[in-house]
């Protein structure tokens, strides 16, 4: 389908340019045929009469005077300047009779035509030969080299239809040429519409088309309904090549004025669209467009202003002044093609230089062998037959045919081999690729890549050097995205500008997915992978021909490779991973990449892999340094959240420690001194580790401290319930914390606590041995059940002698997981020497080198053994024993320990 579309486009384009060449040739022929001689005077229509406008001093009509009224020519009444212009078609020296009125008096004059002045011939040669030829040939070259590029096609159509016709008519032309001229006139009338359309998409697609997408094709409706029919009608009826809209204002009717106004509207819209695009373009595009915008404004505005005066100005106008204004507007119009040419040459807004080089490439390299072979075979066959058959007289024509055929095949094959082995490589080296020294390239790369730390800069530098050395049509570099694993285009070179490589960013859709066939193949091999879209047996062609059956990744791979027109894919890899992919397009000489070229590409990819790996390592090191600084800052901030030292009370000893596994963590403990005899003790373990857990821990600490002093012994459940609601509403469902909070009153020796899903703290009684002997004192406890901060009831529980160690389990679930929940609190009567040890699971789940946990039983035995020690000493003994257990095993969880000993 694509091939058929391209062939159709080429056929239609060929017919268009043939028509324009015939039209321009017909105008040139008719112009010179109707200007064989000069009368030496000009006429115009004024007030319905033909008036002599000017007389050339010293010319053949010196008897005439300006403002003479022309009445008759050779006895025939004159009704317009066209009758007078017919004299120019006569041979020089033709005698004619002219009847005029001068100041109301009739006069008969006998005049002669003469040879046209040299400046007139030069003027018309430039107007109808040189300028059309330049524009049509430029348009043809642009179309032939870029028939698939919409912008290039519109530029070619605009150049092809820019054919000045002056006041050319169809009188005196052969019928076939007159018919072709009518078709050419209709096609040429599309210049203004093509002009508007081109500047809707130049240099980038206009924002207007995004808002009004149908405008791109709807703009041709007025052209097809009004301008084209009017031009065809005037061409057939009035024999005018382009309707002569601007030749005889007195004869231009309402339809002509409407057509002229529409053409002006097209041009104004094109200039306005160019200015609009310039205003909304990026900095790079604006730099390239600046001269084009200025040239269009300077070139078209005087002509547009003059046209408005011509059609809508006063009826009586100074024609001489108008003529000079027209000449000035014509000179100003030259700013348009000149500015466009400057922008093409200086800024490559249209890569004409590249297209010219590609044209030469196809003629001398890609298709040069055919021309060379035909010429060589013809010359060799002629010389061979002439030399051989002068000495050998063949008996029949069959012998001549066989000998000539064998000789022709032999010469053809020898010429083909000579072309591809010697001539084409020499032309390629001379015109399309610079000679390079592989060792020098690698040395330069090694020296220049060393200081580069940005991977995009590295990709740009490598693409530029490869483009300079190998001269491919395109070099693209794809870098691996760490998040997705896909290979995203980082840089792509598109054309050469005055010997420099122009590098641009890539479109967002240029991606090679990590599951792509090419990516998997490049991971497995360090050799370049050839991409051949023209070989039906190649993997690339099969990929493109199976579009309907492709997965999403394969389809994306197909579209990317097709868009960049890749010829070779080169892996940039280490032993373990594929870091990047270099894509090079076909060489400008159309010859395949040599073994030396592939070796250079592989070596360059190896150099780039070192540079990219160094850049990644440096980036990783910078990131690690940044994280380390952040962790250090977070550690310092978190350290300030813990109590600097335990508060001193007469009734209780306090000790606490937190050892984060990652510098910062989610464990939390706190001592809140409420008055001289009351202190709150908190221990929490937030879900997760690291900075995220530390942030959640700070939320727990803030909510606790903001309300701790506002609650009494009987309302600890209100405190925990409010903390639960706050944490649930301010975090997601995966954020929660286990929490233990106890309030110790030194006056009553009562310990009231709530355990919200935390590891149960240990309570070791001082008189445990006596309790085991049956003489344990009574222990009083009362439990209060409260939900959401509202008291729901209370139960008093009494128990007698118990075990040496008990656990504080009363409470509810973890905080932050549910919005509303019922929590319970318990109050315990303590005595001097009782020890409460609260901890997080980092203590009991600490691992030794054999993978065994420290365990809650071991902690319990250790506390029972050293319960007689002061709180600080007991805490130190537990931590030391824990470290001996772990030896050199890395700490995998935060360790928090709090000891409360009743004095």
């Amino acid at each position: 389908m694509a091939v058929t579309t391209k062939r159709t486009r080429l056929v239609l384009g060929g017919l268009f340019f043939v028509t324009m060449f015939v039209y321009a040739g017909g105008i040139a022929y008719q112009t010179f045929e109707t200007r064989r001689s000069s009368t030496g005077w000009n006429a115009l229509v004024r007030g319905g009469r033909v008036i002599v406008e000017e007389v050339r001093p010293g010319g053949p009509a010196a008897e005439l005077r300006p403002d003479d009224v022309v009445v008759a020519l050779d006895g025939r009444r004159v009704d317009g300047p066209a009758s007078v212009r017919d004299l120019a078609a006569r041979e020089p020296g033709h005698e004619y009779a002219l009847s005029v009125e001068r100041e109301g008096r009739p006069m008969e004059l006998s005049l002669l035509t003469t040879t046209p002045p040299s400046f007139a011939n030069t003027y018309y040669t430039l107007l109808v030969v040189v300028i059309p030829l330049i524009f049509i040939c430029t348009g043809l070259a642009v179309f032939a080299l870029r028939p698939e590029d919409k912008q290039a096609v519109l530029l070619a159509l605009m150049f092809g239809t820019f054919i000045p016709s002056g006041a050319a008519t169809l009188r005196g032309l052969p019928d076939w040429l007159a018919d072709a001229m009518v078709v050419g006139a209709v096609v040429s009338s599309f210049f203004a519409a093509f002009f508007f359309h081109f500047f809707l998409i130049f240099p980038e697609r206009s924002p207007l088309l995004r808002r009004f997408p149908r405008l791109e094709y709807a703009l041709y409706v007025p052209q097809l309904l009004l301008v084209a029919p009017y031009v065809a009608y005037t061409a057939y009826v009035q024999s005018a090549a382009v309707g002569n809209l601007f030749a005889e204002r007195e004869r231009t009717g309402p339809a002509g004025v409407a057509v002229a106004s529409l053409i002006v509207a097209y041009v104004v819209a094109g200039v306005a669209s160019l200015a609009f695009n310039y205003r909304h373009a990026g900095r790079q595009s604006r730099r390239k467009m600046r001269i084009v915008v200025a040239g269009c404004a300077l070139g078209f505005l005087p002509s547009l202003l003059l046209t408005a005066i011509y059609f809508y100005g006063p009826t009586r106008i100074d024609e001489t002044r108008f003529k000079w204004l027209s000449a000035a507007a014509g000179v100003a119009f030259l700013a348009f093609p000149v500015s466009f040419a400057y922008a093409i040459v200086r800024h490559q807004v249209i890569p004409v230089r590249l297209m010219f080089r590609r044209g030469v490439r196809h003629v001398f390299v890609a298709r040069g062998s055919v021309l060379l072979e035909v010429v060589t075979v013809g010359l060799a066959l002629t010389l061979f037959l002439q030399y051989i058959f002068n000495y050998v007289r063949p008996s029949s024509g069959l012998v001549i045919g066989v000998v000539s055929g064998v000789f022709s095949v032999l010469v053809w094959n020898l010429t083909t081999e000579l072309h591809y082995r010697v001539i084409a490589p020499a032309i390629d080296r001379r015109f399309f690729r610079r000679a390079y020294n592989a060792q020098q390239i690698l040395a330069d790369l090694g020296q220049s890549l060393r200081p580069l730390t940005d991977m995009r800069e590295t990709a740009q530098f490598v693409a530029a050097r490869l483009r300079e050395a190998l001269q491919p049509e395109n070099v693209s570099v794809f870098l691996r995205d760490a998040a997705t694993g896909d290979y995203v285009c980082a840089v792509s070179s598109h054309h050469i500008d005055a010997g420099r490589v122009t590098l641009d960013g890539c479109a967002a859709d240029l991606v090679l997915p990590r599951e792509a066939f090419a990516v998997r193949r490049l991971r497995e091999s360090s050799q370049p992978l050839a991409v051949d879209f023209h070989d039906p047996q190649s993997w690339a062609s099969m990929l493109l021909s199976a579009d309907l059956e492709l997965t999403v990744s394969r389809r994306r791979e197909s579209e990317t490779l097709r868009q960049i027109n890749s010829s070779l894919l080169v892996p940039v890899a280490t032993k373990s991973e594929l870091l990047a992919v270099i894509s090079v397009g076909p060489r400008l000489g159309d010859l395949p990449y040599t073994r030396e070229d592939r070796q250079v590409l592989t070596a360059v990819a190896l150099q780039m892999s070192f540079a990219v790996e160094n850049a990644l390592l440096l980036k990783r090191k910078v990131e690690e340094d940044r994280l380390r600084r952040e962790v250090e800052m977070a550690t310092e901030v978190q350290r300030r959240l813990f109590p600097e030292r335990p508060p001193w009370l007469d009734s209780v000893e306090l000790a606490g420690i937190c050892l984060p596994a990652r510098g910062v963590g989610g464990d939390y403990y706190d001592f809140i001194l409420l008055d001289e005899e009351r202190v709150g003790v908190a221990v929490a373990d937030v879900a997760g580790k690291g900075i995220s857990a530390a942030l959640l821990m700070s939320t727990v600490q803030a909510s606790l401290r903001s309300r701790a002093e506002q609650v009494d012994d009987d309302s600890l459940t209100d405190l925990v319930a409010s903390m639960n609601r706050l944490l649930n509403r301010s975090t997601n469902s995966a954020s929660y914390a286990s929490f233990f909070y106890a309030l110790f009153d030194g006056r009553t020796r009562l310990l009231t606590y709530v355990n919200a899903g935390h590891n149960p703290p240990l309570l070791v009684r001082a008189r445990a041995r006596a309790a085991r002997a049956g003489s344990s004192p009574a222990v009083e406890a009362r439990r209060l059940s409260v939900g959401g901060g509202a008291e729901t009831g209370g139960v008093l529980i009494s128990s007698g002698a118990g075990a040496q160690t008990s656990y504080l389990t009363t409470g509810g679930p973890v905080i932050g997981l549910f919005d509303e929940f019922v929590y319970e609190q318990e109050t315990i009567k303590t005595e001097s020497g009782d020890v409460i040890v609260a901890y997080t699971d980092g203590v009991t789940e600490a691992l030794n080198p054999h993978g065994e946990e420290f365990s809650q039983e071991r902690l319990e035995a250790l506390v029972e053994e050293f319960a007689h020690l002061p709180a600080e000493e007991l805490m130190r003994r537990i931590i030391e024993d824990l470290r001996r257990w772990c030896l050199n095993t890395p700490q995998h969880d935060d360790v928090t320990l709090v000891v409360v000993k009743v004095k």
Side-chain angles (χ1 to χ4, degrees):
M1 183 65 181
V3 176
T4 304
T5 303
K6 182 177 181 180
R7 185 179 297 129
T8 303
R9 189 185 298 116
L10 290 174
V11 171
L12 293 177
L15 291 175
F16 167 80
F17 282 103
V18 168
T19 301
M20 290 299 97
F21 272 116
V22 171
Y23 179 54
I27 289 178
Y29 169 80
Q30 195 267 350
T31 298
F32 288 107
E33 278 295 309
T34 56
R35 286 175 173 77
R36 296 180 179 180
S37 61
S38 172
T39 60
W41 58 281
N42 295 325
L44 56 85
V45 176
R46 182 188 300 163
R49 298 189 300 174
V50 178
I51 308 297
V52 175
E53 179 188 11
E54 63 178 355
V55 179
R56 191 171 76 221
E63 300 177 41
L64 282 175
R65 296 181 183 176
D67 295 331
D68 285 349
V69 179
V70 180
V71 179
L73 175 64
D74 288 333
R76 296 189 301 274
R77 184 172 181 82
V78 174
D79 57 358
S83 302
V84 178
R85 284 196 297 267
D86 289 340
L87 288 173
R90 306 296 178 87
E91 295 293 334
H94 172 74
E95 184 177 1
Y96 62 94
L98 190 67
S99 301
V100 300
E101 289 184 2
R102 181 179 299 167
E103 298 178 354
R105 292 181 293 108
M107 297 182 62
E108 296 291 334
L109 302 176
S110 180
L111 304 175
L112 295 175
T113 60
T114 186
T115 303
S118 58
F119 74 87
N121 288 330
T122 302
Y123 169 78
Y124 284 111
T125 300
L126 290 173
L127 181 65
V128 300
V129 177
V130 176
I131 293 178
L133 192 62
I134 290 175
F135 274 84
I136 295 177
C137 289
T138 302
L140 177 60
V142 171
F143 176 79
L145 297 174
R146 299 289 292 273
E148 74 287 348
D149 188 335
K150 185 176 183 179
Q151 193 176 98
V153 169
L154 279 174
L155 179 66
L157 293 176
M158 186 174 69
F159 280 177
T161 52
F162 185 73
I163 301 177
S165 62
T169 66
L170 305 181
R171 296 188 183 94
L173 296 180
D175 291 342
W176 68 270
L177 182 56
D179 292 338
M181 291 281 286
V182 171
V183 175
V186 173
V187 175
S188 180
S189 69
F190 278 77
F191 167 77
F194 290 149
F195 178 86
F196 180 25
H197 193 177
F198 176 76
F199 284 114
L200 275 177
I201 63 172
F202 173 84
E204 301 169 355
R205 190 174 175 83
S206 173
L208 289 174
L209 292 181
R210 291 195 289 270
R211 185 172 182 181
F212 307 104
R214 297 184 180 180
L215 175 63
E216 189 171 4
Y217 301 103
L219 66 89
Y220 289 100
V221 173
Q223 169 73 31
L224 294 172
L225 295 181
L226 183 59
V227 180
Y230 179 83
V231 171
Y233 170 78
T234 54
Y236 275 115
V237 175
Q238 301 180 7
S239 298
V242 289
N244 287 336
L245 293 176
F246 305 101
E248 300 178 18
R249 183 176 57 173
E250 294 289 339
R251 293 191 175 189
T252 301
V257 174
V259 169
S261 301
L262 181 59
I263 292 175
V264 170
Y266 274 130
V267 175
V268 171
V271 175
S273 178
L274 176 61
F276 186 78
N277 289 353
Y278 175 78
R279 181 178 179 182
H280 290 82
R283 180 179 301 178
Q284 186 72 8
S285 296
R286 293 182 69 174
R287 183 177 65 86
K288 295 179 179 180
M289 292 173 60
R290 189 175 296 121
I291 188 67
V292 177
V293 173
C296 284
L298 181 60
F300 282 99
L301 290 181
S303 298
L304 294 175
L305 180 61
L306 192 63
T307 301
I309 296 174
Y310 187 89
F311 283 103
Y312 306 109
T315 304
R316 302 289 295 180
I317 188 172
D318 189 339
E319 298 292 345
T320 301
R321 180 178 299 175
F322 188 83
K323 179 180 178 180
W324 285 106
L325 290 176
S326 299
V331 173
F333 182 78
L334 295 177
F336 167 62
V338 170
S339 64
F340 213 92
Y342 174 82
I344 290 175
V345 174
R346 178 65 179 85
H347 298 299
Q348 290 288 295
V349 293
I350 298 292
V352 173
R353 181 179 302 176
L354 175 62
M355 292 190 290
F356 175 75
R357 291 169 66 90
R358 292 182 63 180
V360 176
R361 173 195 72 190
H362 283 287
V363 172
F364 290 102
V365 180
R367 301 291 178 261
S369 60
V370 177
L371 179 62
L372 180 64
E373 288 155 2
V374 170
V375 173
T376 303
V377 170
L379 291 175
L381 190 60
T382 301
L383 294 176
F384 176 79
L385 294 177
Q386 183 179 2
Y387 180 78
I388 294 298
F389 294 147
N390 281 340
Y391 296 96
V392 180
R393 301 291 181 178
S395 58
S396 67
L398 178 62
V399 175
I400 297 176
V402 171
V403 172
S404 301
V406 172
F407 181 76
S408 299
V409 171
L410 179 63
V411 173
W412 182 279
N413 289 332
L414 289 175
T415 305
T416 301
E417 193 70 15
L418 176 67
H419 177 266
Y420 281 109
R421 288 185 177 273
V422 180
I423 299 176
I427 295 175
D428 179 65
R429 285 283 186 180
R430 176 63 182 86
F431 293 100
F432 309 114
R433 191 174 64 147
R434 301 177 184 177
Y436 63 84
N437 183 300
Q439 289 75 18
Q440 185 63 41
I441 290 177
L442 297 178
D444 292 345
L445 282 174
Q447 186 71 22
S448 302
L449 289 178
R450 189 177 299 117
L452 295 180
T453 57
D454 183 82
M455 289 190 291
R456 181 177 173 80
E457 291 181 3
T458 301
Q460 288 179 334
F461 184 80
V462 170
R465 292 310 307 270
L466 288 178
R467 188 62 190 270
E468 291 173 359
L470 301 180
Q471 294 292 293
E473 290 185 1
N474 174 279
V475 178
S476 300
V477 180
F478 295 80
L479 297 176
R480 185 170 64 87
D481 185 88
T484 64
D486 296 337
Y487 294 81
V488 182
C489 184
V491 64
S492 182
S493 64
H494 296 289
H495 58 271
I496 299 176
D497 178 11
R500 299 187 303 274
V501 177
T502 300
L503 298 171
D504 297 327
C506 299
D509 58 345
L510 286 181
V511 176
L512 292 175
R514 63 179 183 274
E515 302 90 356
F517 173 84
V519 171
R520 291 193 291 106
R521 163 64 175 76
L522 293 173
R523 285 198 189 104
E524 299 169 357
S525 174
S526 61
Q527 298 302 313
L529 176 63
V531 184
D532 190 352
F533 296 101
H534 305 292
D535 182 4
Q537 301 301 320
S538 70
W539 67 270
S541 296
M542 293 180 180
L543 196 65
L544 296 181
S545 62
D547 279 345
L548 296 179
E549 303 176 3
L550 292 180
T551 62
V552 174
S553 63
R554 291 293 178 86
R555 185 175 294 109
R556 198 169 190 183
E557 175 188 15
S558 169
E559 293 171 353
T560 297
L561 294 176
R562 190 184 325 198
Q563 188 168 344
I564 62 177
N565 193 23
S566 179
S567 180
L568 274 180
L569 295 175
V570 186
V572 180
T574 61
K575 291 182 179 180
S576 59
E577 60 181 339
L578 182 66
L579 302 175
V581 176
I582 300 175
S583 167
V584 290
R587 281 172 45 181
L588 290 178
D590 269 2
L591 294 178
Y593 288 99
T594 65
R595 180 181 177 184
E596 181 188 7
D597 296 335
R598 291 171 178 260
Q599 290 175 346
V600 168
L601 285 169
T602 303
V604 167
L606 182 61
Q607 290 269 22
M608 184 178 175
S609 68
F610 293 147
V612 172
E613 192 170 26
N614 289 337
L616 289 174
L617 290 175
L618 181 60
K619 182 179 180 181
R620 192 174 300 130
K621 183 178 183 302
V622 170
E623 183 68 16
E624 289 175 353
D625 291 343
R626 183 184 65 81
L627 288 176
R628 189 183 70 254
R629 290 193 298 270
E630 290 181 357
V631 169
E632 290 174 353
M633 294 175 61
T635 302
E636 177 63 21
V637 171
Q638 188 177 46
R639 187 184 65 79
R640 294 177 180 274
L641 295 179
F642 294 115
E644 187 174 353
R645 63 178 61 88
W648 174 262
L649 283 87
D650 294 333
S651 57
V652 69
E653 294 180 13
L654 301 172
I657 189 172
C658 179
L659 303 174
R662 299 183 181 179
V664 292
D667 280 10
Y668 165 63
Y669 80 92
D670 205 352
F671 302 121
I672 305 175
L673 186 62
L674 303 175
D675 55 40
E676 294 180 354
E677 293 295 338
R678 296 169 67 240
V679 63
V681 179
V683 180
D685 187 359
V686 174
K689 297 178 179 64
I691 294 178
S692 60
L695 292 174
L696 189 58
M697 183 273 280
S698 65
T699 303
V700 174
Q701 190 250 17
S703 61
L704 172 62
R705 283 190 168 265
S706 64
R707 293 207 56 195
E709 296 182 359
Q710 303 171 12
V711 299
D712 53 29
D713 298 0
D714 293 334
S715 59
L716 294 189
T717 52
D718 290 344
L719 171 65
V720 177
S722 65
M723 292 176 62
N724 172 64
R725 286 193 298 271
L726 174 65
L727 199 61
N728 179 266
R729 295 170 184 176
S730 60
T731 60
N732 56 43
S733 59
S735 300
Y736 60 90
S738 63
F739 180 65
F740 173 82
Y741 183 68
L743 194 154
F744 181 79
D745 190 338
R747 290 183 291 267
T748 62
R749 300 295 179 95
L750 293 178
L751 179 75
T752 304
Y753 74 91
V754 177
N755 188 338
H758 194 71
N759 301 84
L762 305 176
L763 171 61
V764 179
R765 293 293 185 174
R767 301 175 64 181
R769 292 187 181 87
R772 287 197 298 271
S775 58
S776 174
V779 178
E780 293 182 356
R782 56 189 175 89
R783 181 171 296 173
L784 187 65
S785 176
V786 177
E791 184 177 301
T792 60
V795 179
L796 180 62
I797 300 176
S798 299
S799 61
Q804 180 181 2
T805 301
S806 58
Y807 298 93
L808 308 183
T809 60
T810 303
V814 294
I815 59 175
L817 200 58
F818 305 101
D819 187 39
E820 296 289 344
F821 203 84
V822 176
Y823 290 92
E824 296 177 337
Q825 68 183 44
E826 185 177 17
T827 301
I828 298 173
K829 179 68 174 179
T830 64
E831 294 183 353
S832 176
D834 288 352
V835 176
I836 298 97
V837 177
Y839 57 93
T840 60
D841 55 10
V843 175
T844 56
E845 297 176 4
L847 301 176
N848 66 6
H850 303 291
E852 300 171 337
E853 292 186 352
F854 189 73
S855 77
Q856 186 169 324
E857 291 76 10
R858 186 171 282 103
L859 175 63
E860 181 179 336
L862 192 63
V863 174
E864 289 178 355
E865 180 180 356
F866 297 104
H868 62 282
L869 297 176
E872 186 74 28
E873 183 66 19
L874 174 59
M875 181 184 70
R876 185 180 63 80
R877 287 293 184 96
I878 296 174
I879 295 298
E880 288 178 355
D881 196 76
L882 184 67
R883 286 172 174 167
R884 282 194 298 270
W885 172 264
C886 296
L887 292 178
N888 296 324
T889 305
Q891 181 180 339
H892 72 280
D893 199 359
D894 305 331
V895 171
T896 300
L897 188 67
V898 170
V899 178
V900 179
K901 186 168 185 179
V902 181
K903 292 182 181 180

